[in-house]
């Protein structure tokens, strides 16, 4: 059986969204039909109609590969019209390739993960460099084939993308799809945060919502595109210095009227601790502060003096009491 992630990729490819992984999945499917000796098409329209009928019978009967079984169940759910469109697309692509060598693709992906407090650097096949922040992961193909260079991010990363206008670079994260041709930018998109954003240092970046492609923005250096949970649109704004968005690479922290809920999450990722907040009202307070190579104790001491809260460190847990003054 194929995974839910492969099912999603195949659906997107069959709906017209090209990707190397989608093409490889489709080719596996087509090859299973190509190797079926009961199907021997020619170049005639009659042959095309025959193949369509044969494919439909096989899909309905669920007699071919696990990918065909996937397509059958999806087609039945989507309705007869979608199923016929799927069959026509498969038959056309397959017959167009008849009597030609069938390329063999091996879907080869690698995943790099970091724990809280860790950083990692990844160099992709094309020379693109990716710097992962703590509690993040990057899934990427070992070979950057196809029309796009497509990677998948959970958390935060800074990208220095090798310029290639013929093969755009796409970063898919929890809430955003980010497309560039060669630039430097930061993607901050943790699943547990209420806000995600992309900030550009050099070049030009297109950003769209993962589940609403009508909402998008095109941003330039010192601009950011912001996603807020619960909103159906992206917001674009200017920033004073985009380099602050990647200050985490040098163990620097900037809080500019940051809500304390987000402050604690950032500190958890940086110092590999967990916070227990006794008074939930504290999470709605805001804080202005900046640090460079500061210890956790130094950060908490400033928080105590400026906000009036109290803290207690027990191993990897920090207990916070009080309310901001």
């Amino acid at each position: 059986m194929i995974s839910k992630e492969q099912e999603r990729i195949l659906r997107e490819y069959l709906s017209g969204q090209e990707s190397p992984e989608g093409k490889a999945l489709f080719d596996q499917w087509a090859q299973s039909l190509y190797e079926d000796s009961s199907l021997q098409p020619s170049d005639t329209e009659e042959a095309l109609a025959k193949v369509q009928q044969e494919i439909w019978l096989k899909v309905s009967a669920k007699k071919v590969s696990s990918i065909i079984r996937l397509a059958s169940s999806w087609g039945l759910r989507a309705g007869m019209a979608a199923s016929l469109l799927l069959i026509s697309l498969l038959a056309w692509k397959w017959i167009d390739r008849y009597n030609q060598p069938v390329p063999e693709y091996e879907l080869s992906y690698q995943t790099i993960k970091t724990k809280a407090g860790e950083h990692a650097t990844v160099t992709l096949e094309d020379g693109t460099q990716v710097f992962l922040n703590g509690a993040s992961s990057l899934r990427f193909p070992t070979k950057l084939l196809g029309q796009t260079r497509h990677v998948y991010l959970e958390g935060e990363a800074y990208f220095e993308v090798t310029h290639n206008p013929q093969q755009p670079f796409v970063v898919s994260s929890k809430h955003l799809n980010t497309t560039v041709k060669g630039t430097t930018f930061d993607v901050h998109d943790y699943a547990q945060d209420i806000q995600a954003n992309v900030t550009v240092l050099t070049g030009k970046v297109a950003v769209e919502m993962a589940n609403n492609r009508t909402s998008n923005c095109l941003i330039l250096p010192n601009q950011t595109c912001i996603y807020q949970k619960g909103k159906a649109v992206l917001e674009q704004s200017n920033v004073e210095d985009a380099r602050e968005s990647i200050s985490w690479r040098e163990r620097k922290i900037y809080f500019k009227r940051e809500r304390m809920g987000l402050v604690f999450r950032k500190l958890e990722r940086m110092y590999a601790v967990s916070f227990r907040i006794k008074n939930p009202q504290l999470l709605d307070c805001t804080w202005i502060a900046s640090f460079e190579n500061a210890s956790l104790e130094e950060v908490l001491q400033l928080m105590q003096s400026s906000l009036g809260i109290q803290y207690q460190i027990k191993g990897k847990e920090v207990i916070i009491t009080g309310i901001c003054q």
Side-chain angles (χ1 to χ4, degrees), residues 132-146:
L132 275 179
N133 200 353
S136 302
S137 70
L138 181 76
R139 182 170 178 262
F140 58 95
T142 55
K143 294 290 184 181
L144 295 172
L145 304 173

Side-chain angles (χ1 to χ4, degrees), residues 128-171:
T128 292
Q129 286 198 300
V130 185
F131 303 86
L132 275 179
N133 200 353
S136 302
S137 70
L138 181 76
R139 182 170 178 262
F140 58 95
T142 55
K143 294 290 184 181
L144 295 172
L145 304 173
Q147 295 182 349
T148 62
R149 296 167 286 170
H150 203 148
V151 302
Y152 303 86
L153 171 70
E154 295 181 9
E156 183 170 16
Y158 167 63
F159 294 82
E160 293 182 351
V161 177
T162 299
H163 185 71
N164 185 353
Q166 281 70 48
Q167 193 185 30
F169 192 95
V170 181
V171 182

Side-chain angles (χ1 to χ4, degrees), residues 96-112:
D96 183 59
R97 293 172 41 174
Y98 184 63
N99 283 334
Q100 298 180 20
V102 178
E104 294 184 1
Y105 291 90
E106 182 179 348
L107 294 178
S108 179
Y109 275 75
Q110 186 175 351
T111 300
I112 302 295

Side-chain angles (χ1 to χ4, degrees), residues 240-257:
E240 186 174 331
D241 186 356
R243 289 174 298 180
E244 290 185 2
S245 69
I246 59 169
S247 60
W248 52 267
R249 288 186 56 198
E250 300 173 343
R251 302 289 177 178
K252 296 179 181 178
I253 318 174
Y254 294 93
F255 297 123
K256 294 186 175 181
R257 297 197 180 279

Side-chain angles (χ1 to χ4, degrees), residues 1-2 29 58-59 61-77:
M1 295 296 291
I2 69 172
W29 180 0
K58 286 182 174 291
V59 171
K62 301 183 180 180
K63 292 180 180 178
V64 290
S65 69
S66 60
I67 297 178
I68 291 291
R69 290 197 295 271
L70 156 69
S72 173
S73 61
W74 168 58
L76 290 173
R77 290 196 301 269

